[in-house]
Amino acid sequence: MNEGMVIVQAGGNGLLENGREATVNAIMKVVARKRKKNVRVAVTSLLRRLACNEEYERLRKEVNRDLHEKILAIKMESKRNGEVGSSFLDMDDLIQAGCFLVDGVHLSQEGETKLSQRFIRWIRATHLLMEGRMD
């Protein structure tokens, strides 16, 4: 029985200090804990920052690629085993320069609205999928 759904939106604080592997592992530990409780999980991509250096942006893209690959592998395995799946929500096309406050890191009202709308679409689609499985 499915016990619900959760969206994991990891931030980029500590990315430069912790590095790619530790960041990916920390996020995937959260996913594993939730999946053990039979919860559907969506992981968002790490958001870009206007106020960042090239090293942060390179690491961010690598982390997002790793997360996307790991979530896709979980999704394929879950489908084969009839288990609860997971999703990766890529925000790069959604969150543009006008979506940030002047600090270049935090989202503006427009950015928060776009992010929330993407979350709502995933929740609705997941809910419909879950309802279909109950029939």
Side-chain angles (χ1 to χ4, degrees):
M1 177 175 179
N2 190 292
E3 296 298 329
M5 54 185 104
V6 66
I7 298 172
V8 177
Q9 183 191 3
N13 292 349
L15 178 58
L16 293 173
E17 296 82 11
N18 299 328
R20 173 184 179 177
E21 187 176 340
T23 301
V24 171
N25 288 342
I27 295 166
M28 294 310 296
K29 282 182 186 177
V30 173
V31 173
R33 281 196 310 266
K34 294 300 177 186
R35 290 190 73 240
K36 282 182 182 176
K37 295 180 179 180
N38 211 25
V39 173
R40 241 174 237 284
V41 180
V43 175
T44 70
S45 59
L46 294 184
L47 299 179
R48 70 174 42 101
R49 293 178 174 184
L50 299 181
C52 73
N53 60 33
E54 289 178 19
E55 178 68 5
Y56 175 88
E57 185 60 14
R58 181 186 64 76
L59 278 173
R60 183 189 75 82
K61 287 179 178 180
E62 290 174 357
V63 165
N64 286 342
R65 185 176 53 248
D66 291 351
L67 289 172
H68 195 180
E69 289 173 2
K70 288 180 180 296
I71 295 298
L72 183 58
I74 289 171
K75 182 174 258 186
M76 292 168 61
E77 180 183 335
S78 336
K79 188 153 181 79
R80 281 192 301 270
N81 298 334
E83 299 170 345
V84 171
S86 297
S87 302
F88 181 78
L89 305 178
D90 189 352
M91 301 297 181
D92 274 358
D93 64 328
L94 184 71
I95 305 299
Q96 301 299 320
C99 295
F100 291 92
L101 296 174
V102 294
D103 67 3
V105 174
H106 298 97
L107 294 178
S108 64
Q109 183 65 47
E110 176 185 355
E112 289 177 357
T113 298
K114 286 184 176 187
L115 197 71
S116 299
Q117 289 170 342
R118 175 80 46 101
F119 290 170
I120 290 167
R121 281 202 321 263
W122 178 79
I123 291 167
R124 285 182 179 152
T126 301
H127 180 72
L128 290 173
L129 179 65
M130 289 166 56
E131 279 185 340
R133 286 181 177 236
M134 286 191 243
D135 290 340

